[in-house]
Amino acid sequence: MRLLPLQMNTSSRTKQRSAGKDDASKGAWYRNWEGYLIVLVASFLRFYRIDTSQFEGDQVQIFRLAHDAVHHGLLPVTNGTASLGFANPPGLLYFYMLPAALSDNPVLAMLLNSFFAVTAVFLTHLFVTRYYGRFAGAVAGLLYAAAPVPLIYSRFIWQPNMMQPFVVLFFLALFRGVVDRRTGWLPLALLWLAILLQTHLTVLLLVIPLFMAVLFAPETLRWRDLGYSCLALLVVFFPYLLWELVTNFGDLAIIHSILLTQTCQHANACIDNTSWNIYLTFLGSHDPHQVSFTSNSLIHRFSTPLSWLATVLLYCVIAGLVTALALSLYWWRKSLRTARGIQVVGDGQASEMGVPKAARWRRWISLMPPPAAAGLLLLCAWQLLPPLVMVRHTLPIFTHYLLVIIPGPFILVAIFLERLRKWFSRSEDTLRLLARGLLYSVTVLILLLQTVGGTALVLDDVRGRFNSKGLDLYFSDFHSIQNAFSELDRLAKQRHVSRVYVAADFPTGQAMYFFSGQLHTPVTVFDSDRCLVLPNPADGPALLLTPPYADLTYTLLNHYASARSVEQPPMLGGNPFGIFELSTPMKEVPPQVVFGQDMQLESIQTQRFSFDGVSRMISRWNWLRSLAPAYETTHHYRVRVQLGGGEDQAIATICTFNAMRTGDRLLVAFDLPKGGVAPHTAALSVQYSISTQDMPRYGPLHLITHRHLSSRYVPLKAANGKNSIVVRTS
């Protein structure tokens, strides 16, 4: 049963709908040679040296969750924490479970991500070819295939990167109902939208084009579409619903507090052109908010023609948007005139009989734009809404917030060039022939420059012609980290060492913990922000792997250990890793305070280090008990030193590691206030906590989430039974 009777299109509507499909209807898509060229270009730029893609933080967590879910029989219900604080749905994680089931090498997951991106390019080509002609399809496909900034988001694991094919599928479903006037499109559109909502919340803006499609083509809806739509939403959001049930819908409280905060900050909202600048970024040669390229990079060498290309594409996008709006309004007005003439004739016959319900709906449908105009209006809404909505914002806006508009700009460029081509093809006079030849030449030049820009970006990325040190977090790639651990494992076997140590900082932390599980030698991974673990002097030399910018670690090694650099595995676009052979000098020190059964203080002294000019208090500890490694388990020791001035001068440092051996040495650094005088005494206290992977149960289901559950910090007692003890410093 239909919600509305399906109406026969008038001749004008049929002409409008079929006008854009003349070229496409001449042959099947697989007979168009340009489709193979588009796939070839897109595949090369997205698969070439994919092992050099970014692998840190979110990338490690996504693959690890997918891998653990497959190999431990767990059901993922979350996929990380959103920037606003609530949990992300796990939908896209299930796609990554397939490569994780085949191998524990994340490269397969990277290949899957790139495959989705290539699929998005090919779907764009098919979509534009079907509705706007073969020439437009070739232009849109090639522009999208080689676009530099979308390329960045096609070459590494991340849930927002997976939205690209589903955005195109979503609009294919809308056009099926609005332009083709076929039934069954609503469940498909809601299925793709449900998947998209699990990539990023900005996808909520696509609800507006969906609502417009319902208004434009109500006669294509059926009652059973509602049932299919609800089923699709239930299937996609079922794992996330389990998470909400486990947490008693705790995310709703977070969202409520966010809404209250946004309401309170309403007066402090910022109105600027940030969203417009980000829109322009997708037309440029690189993202200025990410790594900067060196002077010998190809992006730098071709900067002038690529900047010209960005300007030309901008004008083409604006012209395409104006063309789409003008054509849709013109066709809509023409359709209304035709419908008004038909209505005048019909009103004379039905004036005395009353107006049946179906006829009233027909009048509503006659007021809607014709199919081709409705399709153009959907495209315009898709491109205009996200930048306009984000003009006023209370939070920072990042480039990936506007990934939802891709590949819209390239479709608008293709529509504009296609309309020009049709206008120049109306007659065969000399002037129009010359203009058409010039149009083809300019189009080929644009496509060639776009391909040069995309190729230059990929080659610069894979060869490390960039510098990420100026960013808050430096760039770390999969190949560099994997190579560093391979060298560490090789050297450990070659030198027959019984223990290796890995220093992890914030950018490389999760990757360090991930790859440490693949070593064949027992390993201790520790956070090196203000801590350093050294081997037991009685166990002989060990190996230590350090991240690229571990200045404090290098300084502590020079002062408190005997370390010799044996290898420097390279890092793309940055300083190399360091592999050191180190041993701890044997020193006879009088026994001092012991906290619990865990750690014994050997000394505490104040030093000023030249690399940053900061004075630090360094405490040296002897480890008393072994901590065995366990699945996704880390140990946290919060060492607190209270200077002579009271609680306001207390300084705490948290040392985190996955395992320890009896006799290991732990160095803990405390940054002293600037201009302060080094104290002669200090009160020390130690607290302990442990973090484990959150794997809740809900009935018979064994779940896995992104969270690590940390226990409360428990104070370790000193020998005198107190929580703290006063010691002398030197």
Side-chain angles (χ1 to χ4, degrees):
M1 179 179 178
R2 301 182 189 279
L3 292 178
L4 293 173
L6 186 63
Q7 302 297 319
M8 296 296 293
N9 292 315
T10 64
S11 59
S12 62
R13 288 173 176 261
T14 304
K15 290 178 182 178
Q16 297 290 348
R17 186 182 63 192
S18 60
K21 298 194 292 181
D22 290 340
D23 293 342
S25 61
K26 292 179 181 178
W29 61 266
Y30 53 82
R31 296 178 183 174
N32 298 336
W33 62 268
E34 67 274 10
Y36 299 97
L37 176 62
I38 291 170
V39 172
L40 179 64
V41 173
S43 299
F44 170 76
L45 294 177
R46 285 157 179 80
F47 289 122
Y48 177 67
R49 289 300 311 275
I50 192 63
D51 60 315
T52 60
S53 70
Q54 182 178 354
F55 192 68
E56 56 193 28
D58 290 342
Q59 292 77 48
V60 180
Q61 178 174 270
I62 289 171
F63 182 77
R64 183 187 62 78
L65 287 174
H67 179 272
D68 293 351
V70 170
H71 294 277
H72 296 282
L74 305 172
L75 182 68
V77 292
T78 62
N79 188 20
T81 303
S83 56
L84 295 178
F86 52 85
N88 285 322
L92 280 302
L93 196 65
Y94 288 89
F95 290 105
Y96 289 115
M97 289 172 66
L98 176 61
L102 300 176
S103 172
D104 59 357
N105 191 335
V107 168
L108 286 183
M110 299 172 190
L111 291 173
L112 177 68
N113 193 91
S114 295
F115 173 76
F116 270 62
V118 173
T119 303
V121 173
F122 184 61
L123 288 174
T124 301
H125 165 65
L126 295 182
F127 170 67
V128 180
T129 300
R130 174 177 175 80
Y131 293 104
Y132 300 106
R134 184 175 174 182
F135 175 76
V139 171
L142 286 171
L143 283 177
Y144 185 19
V149 175
L151 266 175
I152 298 174
Y153 293 95
S154 302
R155 291 177 55 86
F156 65 93
I157 301 170
W158 201 28
Q159 65 267 19
N161 298 352
M162 298 285 277
M163 75 168 62
Q164 298 181 57
F166 297 105
V167 170
V168 185
L169 288 171
F170 174 75
F171 278 93
L172 274 170
L174 296 189
F175 271 58
R176 174 186 172 90
V178 170
V179 179
D180 294 339
R181 290 295 197 260
R182 298 176 64 181
T183 59
W185 63 271
L186 183 61
L188 283 175
L190 284 174
L191 172 64
W192 306 134
L193 183 61
I195 295 175
L196 283 167
L197 285 172
Q198 310 214 13
T199 61
H200 201 270
L201 270 184
T202 52
V203 175
L204 276 173
L205 295 172
L206 294 182
V207 172
I208 303 300
L210 176 64
F211 180 70
M212 292 171 61
V214 172
L215 292 179
F216 291 161
E219 75 274 20
T220 61
L221 302 179
R222 304 166 297 180
W223 284 112
R224 60 176 175 267
D225 288 343
L226 298 178
Y228 293 150
S229 300
C230 293
L231 180 62
L233 293 174
L234 179 62
V235 170
V236 174
F237 282 100
F238 175 72
Y240 193 64
L241 179 61
L242 290 177
W243 159 257
E244 295 298 341
L245 292 173
V246 167
T247 59
N248 295 319
F249 295 90
D251 283 337
L252 294 182
I254 297 176
I255 294 174
H256 178 68
S257 64
I258 292 171
L259 294 177
L260 289 179
T261 303
Q262 295 298 308
T263 303
C264 296
Q265 295 179 352
H266 187 74
N268 299 323
C270 177
I271 299 177
D272 55 26
N273 62 344
T274 302
S275 60
W276 172 246
N277 290 334
I278 292 177
Y279 193 99
L280 298 182
T281 296
F282 287 102
L283 305 177
S285 60
H286 66 285
D287 187 352
H289 302 99
Q290 296 193 8
V291 296
S292 59
F293 290 93
T294 59
S295 58
N296 65 336
S297 64
L298 295 176
I299 289 292
H300 183 77
R301 294 177 184 177
F302 294 115
S303 59
T304 300
L306 292 179
S307 65
W308 293 345
L309 173 64
T311 303
V312 171
L313 289 178
L314 170 61
Y315 287 129
C316 287
V317 168
I318 295 175
L321 188 62
V322 172
T323 300
L325 285 173
L327 284 175
S328 59
L329 294 177
Y330 171 74
W331 290 337
W332 195 352
R333 183 181 179 187
K334 187 176 179 180
S335 174
L336 288 175
R337 286 180 177 178
T338 304
R340 193 176 296 115
I342 297 174
Q343 182 179 354
V344 169
V345 176
D347 285 347
Q349 300 175 356
S351 58
E352 297 181 358
M353 299 175 59
V355 182
K357 184 176 181 180
R360 289 198 297 269
W361 276 112
R362 291 192 192 100
R363 289 183 180 179
W364 166 260
I365 296 170
S366 67
L367 295 176
M368 292 297 100
L376 290 176
L377 288 174
L378 290 180
L379 292 180
C380 293
W382 173 27
Q383 294 304 292
L384 289 174
L385 278 174
L388 290 177
V389 169
M390 296 182 191
V391 165
R392 191 176 191 277
H393 57 94
T394 57
L395 298 173
I397 299 177
F398 301 99
T399 304
H400 65 272
Y401 285 12
L402 283 181
L403 270 177
V404 68
I405 67 168
I406 299 299
F410 313 117
I411 295 176
L412 291 178
V413 173
I415 290 174
F416 171 66
L417 296 178
E418 169 65 14
R419 298 308 301 183
L420 277 182
R421 187 192 69 84
K422 283 192 172 183
W423 188 73
F424 291 146
S425 302
R426 286 184 177 180
S427 65
E428 297 298 326
D429 60 84
T430 305
L431 187 60
R432 293 208 177 194
L433 284 175
L434 290 175
R436 190 168 58 188
L438 180 62
L439 174 65
Y440 286 140
S441 301
V442 171
T443 302
V444 171
L445 180 60
I446 289 174
L447 296 177
L448 287 176
L449 282 176
Q450 184 83 321
T451 305
V452 168
T455 305
L457 180 84
V458 171
L459 293 179
D460 287 338
D461 276 346
V462 302
R463 295 176 183 176
R465 299 190 188 118
F466 57 85
N467 183 10
S468 62
K469 189 176 180 181
L471 300 176
D472 294 335
L473 302 175
Y474 63 85
F475 175 88
S476 56
D477 68 288
F478 171 79
H479 176 76
S480 297
I481 300 177
Q482 185 186 49
N483 177 62
F485 273 86
S486 297
E487 286 298 304
L488 179 65
D489 212 19
R490 181 186 65 82
L491 290 170
K493 292 179 181 178
Q494 184 184 76
R495 296 167 183 263
H496 305 289
V497 299
S498 61
R499 188 76 172 178
V500 296
Y501 296 82
V502 176
D505 58 5
F506 186 76
T508 63
Q510 293 205 41
M512 294 290 202
Y513 279 95
F514 175 80
F515 281 108
S516 67
Q518 301 178 7
L519 294 175
H520 297 89
T521 307
V523 58
T524 292
V525 185
F526 62 92
D527 290 355
S528 62
D529 186 24
R530 288 181 176 83
C531 304
L532 174 64
V533 179
L534 299 175
N536 186 345
D539 291 342
L543 292 179
L544 169 67
L545 174 65
T546 62
Y549 301 100
D551 294 329
L552 178 60
T553 300
Y554 303 148
T555 303
L556 293 177
L557 286 176
N558 291 333
H559 284 79
Y560 296 96
S562 175
R564 181 174 65 89
S565 176
V566 294
E567 193 76 42
Q568 288 188 324
M571 164 72 84
L572 278 182
N575 290 355
F577 291 91
I579 299 180
F580 296 86
E581 183 181 67
L582 75 158
S583 57
T584 308
M586 186 74 72
K587 290 185 178 180
E588 293 293 337
V589 294
Q592 294 196 42
V593 61
V594 175
F595 283 95
Q597 299 178 350
D598 300 66
M599 48 203 299
Q600 178 186 34
L601 180 67
E602 289 189 345
S603 64
I604 182 168
Q605 60 186 22
T606 302
Q607 282 188 299
R608 183 180 181 86
F609 297 116
S610 59
F611 77 92
D612 61 357
V614 176
S615 295
R616 291 180 174 86
M617 183 177 290
I618 309 296
S619 60
R620 178 186 172 100
W621 302 82
N622 178 24
W623 206 257
L624 301 180
R625 71 182 182 102
S626 294
L627 296 174
Y631 169 71
E632 286 300 313
T633 299
T634 53
H635 306 271
H636 312 274
Y637 284 81
R638 181 163 63 191
V639 184
R640 187 170 179 268
V641 57
Q642 183 176 326
L643 307 181
E647 288 291 335
D648 57 337
Q649 293 191 22
I651 308 171
T653 294
I654 298 177
C655 294
T656 301
F657 32 78
N658 70 329
M660 289 289 278
R661 272 186 174 182
T662 302
D664 282 349
R665 300 301 192 263
L666 175 65
L667 301 179
V668 184
F670 306 91
D671 293 353
L672 297 177
K674 290 185 178 180
V677 179
H680 297 290
T681 61
L684 279 176
S685 61
V686 180
Q687 295 175 313
Y688 169 71
S689 174
I690 186 172
S691 295
T692 56
Q693 176 68 53
D694 181 25
M695 295 186 292
R697 285 186 176 273
Y698 190 81
L701 300 176
H702 200 178
L703 316 177
I704 184 171
T705 78
H706 68 286
R707 298 188 307 180
H708 281 77
L709 301 180
S710 298
S711 64
R712 290 185 177 182
Y713 276 96
V714 177
L716 300 183
K717 300 290 185 181
N720 59 5
K722 296 182 179 180
N723 293 338
S724 64
I725 191 168
V726 178
V727 297
R728 289 186 175 274
T729 65
S730 58

